Amino acid sequence: MELARKLLSSLFPSRCILCRQTIIEAVTGPHVEICLPCYQALPKNDSTCIRCALPLPDDIDGNVLCGRCVNKRPHYDYSRSLFIYEDEVVSLIHQLKFGEKICYARSIGEMLLTVVNNEVLPDQGRPDCIIPVPLHNKRLRRRGYNQSTEISRVMAKKLAIPIAYDAVVRTRHTKAQTDLKAKDRQKNIKGAFSVIDVKKYSHVLITDDVVTTGSTVNELAKVLKDKGVERVGVLSVARAPLKN
């Protein structure tokens, strides 16, 4: 299989999904279709709040809480995010989410897997399951797929951690969070999730493509904690910085 893969790669080289140039050097593995220069140019979320993964200035010690977490801790216990939601990361996620580029989910999932292996598993332990932020059936039918689920498949398969597809459902069709202010996002998402069955899980990892204010993942973490889940983490592809 490996020989066949290398042969196919030499005959039909992959093109970077960002710059469309032939990929000469793989980033993190053969299934990441982003060239090294493009990957290095993506804004990494390296300096963050230790609780919610909010991007912080590079000169701040990484072992700190942001002001919002100092004032009010989120319901989830930890959060990790690979990129800052800006520049080419916005385009990449929009293509996956709205441009029907479901094939991008494999590359994104492979990149996110490095965060799980390097930060989540060593620091937080092994989750019992992965729960992608669920879409309401109306939005799922319109889009055709849940981008958070597709990203999670790569990690679930390689780490042998199950995806709890039916553990939580979105019972209320909410307005899109994109154009709402922080307080309006909290009101919009309140009561939108219903837990079906999480009795066998004590440590759950929520996955999402983008965390903006954190209202959605925080509400989901709350309902999970209310049903007895002891530890809840959040893993996202990108975290939005605070608006100026």
Side-chain angles (χ1 to χ4, degrees), residues 17-226:
I17 58 181
L18 294 176
C19 70
R20 307 309 304 169
Q21 298 299 309
T22 299
I23 296 176
I24 305 300
E25 185 177 355
V27 176
T28 61
H31 302 302
V32 179
E33 295 183 318
I34 296 179
C35 68
L36 186 58
C38 282
Y39 179 77
Q40 290 175 335
L42 293 175
K44 310 300 188 300
N45 195 26
D46 294 329
S47 181
T48 72
C49 169
I50 59 173
R51 187 65 176 260
C52 74
L54 181 73
L56 299 176
D58 292 336
D59 58 350
I60 293 181
D61 184 353
N63 194 32
V64 297
L65 290 170
C66 68
R68 291 195 295 181
C69 286
V70 169
N71 292 329
K72 186 177 181 180
R73 301 289 176 91
H75 292 287
Y76 50 85
D77 299 284
Y78 64 91
S79 181
R80 299 289 184 273
S81 190
L82 178 58
F83 298 117
I84 300 173
Y85 190 57
E86 58 188 20
D87 303 332
E88 286 292 340
V89 174
V90 177
S91 175
L92 179 64
I93 292 177
H94 276 212
Q95 285 295 310
L96 168 66
K97 199 170 182 176
F98 307 117
E100 300 182 353
K101 297 291 187 180
I102 192 172
C103 57
Y104 288 7
R106 187 174 190 178
S107 292
I108 294 172
E110 289 278 355
M111 290 188 292
L112 201 53
L113 185 63
T114 62
V115 179
V116 179
N117 284 327
N118 296 336
E119 300 180 34
V120 175
L121 297 183
D123 298 341
Q124 306 297 333
R126 187 179 184 82
D128 298 315
C129 73
I130 296 171
I131 297 184
V133 172
L135 297 178
H136 188 272
N137 284 337
K138 184 176 181 180
R139 187 162 294 161
L140 183 60
R141 285 195 299 269
R142 185 166 64 244
R143 188 172 299 167
Y145 58 91
N146 181 341
Q147 71 281 352
S148 298
T149 299
E150 298 307 316
I151 291 168
S152 299
R153 292 186 196 278
V154 174
M155 298 180 289
K157 182 177 180 180
K158 293 203 171 184
L159 297 171
I161 298 174
I163 298 177
Y165 293 100
D166 301 320
V168 182
V169 295
R170 199 159 187 154
T171 54
R172 185 164 58 81
H173 182 56
T174 57
K175 296 178 181 178
Q177 296 275 77
T178 308
D179 298 322
L180 297 178
K181 295 180 179 179
K183 288 186 178 180
D184 293 330
R185 286 174 182 243
Q186 294 174 12
K187 294 177 182 178
N188 185 49
I189 203 67
K190 187 174 179 60
F193 300 111
S194 179
V195 176
I196 304 302
D197 183 16
V198 291
K199 292 179 181 178
K200 58 185 177 182
Y201 305 125
S202 61
H203 181 180
V204 167
L205 182 63
I206 297 171
T207 55
D208 205 0
D209 54 349
V210 180
V211 172
T212 308
T213 63
S215 298
T216 299
V217 291
N218 197 44
E219 177 68 15
L220 183 49
K222 180 181 181 299
V223 299
L224 289 170
K225 289 286 187 76
D226 288 345

